[in-house]
Amino acid sequence: RKEVEQDPGPFNVPEGATVAFNCTYSNSASQSFFWYRQDCRKEPKLLMSVYSSGNEDGRFTAQLNRASQYISLLIRDSKLSDSATYLCVVTFGNNNQGGKLIFGQGTELSVKP
Amino acid sequence: NAGVTQTPKFQVLKTGQSMTLQCAQDMNHEYMSWYRQDPGMGLRLIHYSVGAGITDQGEVPNGYNVSRSTTEDFPLRLLSAAPSQTSVYFCASRRGDGYTFGSGTRLTVV
């Protein structure tokens, strides 16, 4: 079983749609959780951190359920510019291990006019 | 402040050749790491370093060496390139929870 699993998609949605991505992780010792965005052939960029209390940044809402080892990302009112691959990322390990990033394989989103 | 700089951006190697991918950061980050990205596989950790003089293996270290003589630089060496090492390579550095990635090196081994 992969340490971090995502639905690879692609998700094809019209502008203005609401889309939800799900992610599960296998290591209960995971410490930090993130969503990254990756545009075609470019480097990943941090979209938002994910907390148990949930967090919202404009049209984006992220949730963490530690008991179920589940992370979600909700995008409301999708824009063409939201088209990208969304990477679910967790870290675990002590300070000596540097908090290694473990990536899911990514979920591709395509927003159409 | 240039962030994380990777060179070269593109490289073609013949099987058996060796080369070094360069990574430099000017943010005084202690932690640096190398990932490779293959289609459908996500990013996989090759090697990482928690500070100058300290390196350790990640998930897929075979065929790669690293060293960390300074805080700024973390080069990745391919000892004898193989077609299976064709990939996109990303270097990242972090302080706290904030990871910054370089723009990547696209390597093809023929």
Side-chain angles (χ1 to χ4, degrees):
Chain A
R1 181 185 173 188
K2 291 182 180 177
E3 291 189 81
V4 180
E5 292 203 61
Q6 297 180 246
D7 181 343
F11 283 49
N12 296 305
V13 303
E15 270 187 296
T18 295
V19 60
F21 302 139
N22 302 317
C23 171
T24 57
Y25 60 95
S26 60
N27 191 332
S28 60
S30 297
Q31 296 174 328
S32 302
F33 309 88
F34 308 93
W35 284 101
Y36 275 73
R37 170 189 170 131
Q38 186 175 28
D39 293 288
C40 185
R41 301 175 71 81
K42 295 193 173 180
E43 71 273 23
K45 293 186 177 178
L46 179 64
L47 179 65
M48 58 198 308
S49 301
V50 189
Y51 308 111
S52 296
S53 56
N55 51 309
E56 186 173 316
D57 183 3
R59 298 181 293 108
F60 299 83
T61 301
Q63 291 278 355
L64 166 65
N65 185 321
R66 283 189 181 269
S68 302
Q69 295 180 201
Y70 170 89
I71 305 160
S72 66
L73 176 68
L74 184 75
I75 305 175
R76 293 180 297 276
D77 188 22
S78 299
K79 311 292 185 190
L80 296 177
S81 58
D82 293 333
S83 296
T85 296
Y86 290 83
L87 303 168
C88 176
V89 183
V90 306
T91 70
F92 64 93
N94 57 33
N95 285 337
N96 288 335
Q97 294 174 304
K100 294 179 286 186
L101 291 177
I102 306 298
F103 286 81
Q105 73 269 46
T107 299
E108 184 182 345
L109 172 65
S110 179
V111 181
K112 305 294 187 184
Chain B
N1 188 334
V4 178
T5 302
Q6 287 184 238
T7 56
K9 292 191 182 303
F10 301 93
Q11 183 71 49
V12 179
L13 287 179
K14 293 183 178 179
T15 297
Q17 286 185 314
S18 62
M19 80 159 293
T20 299
L21 308 186
Q22 302 291 346
C23 177
Q25 51 93 8
D26 59 0
M27 298 172 285
N28 201 32
H29 288 174
E30 291 296 323
Y31 178 84
M32 297 184 72
S33 54
W34 277 101
Y35 291 84
R36 61 177 288 174
Q37 186 173 31
D38 302 295
M41 298 290 291
L43 281 83
R44 292 180 293 168
L45 182 64
I46 304 171
H47 284 285
Y48 66 97
S49 169
V50 298
I54 306 169
T55 63
D56 206 347
Q57 297 181 348
E59 180 185 358
V60 288
N62 291 340
Y64 307 94
N65 273 357
V66 292
S67 60
R68 186 89 180 274
S69 57
T70 67
T71 299
E72 294 77 21
D73 299 298
F74 191 43
L76 178 72
R77 280 182 288 277
L78 279 70
L79 308 173
S80 177
S84 60
Q85 293 179 304
T86 294
S87 189
V88 180
Y89 292 84
F90 289 104
C91 178
S93 71
R94 85 169 173 99
R95 177 185 290 280
D97 276 347
Y99 286 82
T100 302
F101 283 83
S103 58
T105 295
R106 284 160 180 77
L107 176 68
T108 301
V109 182
V110 298

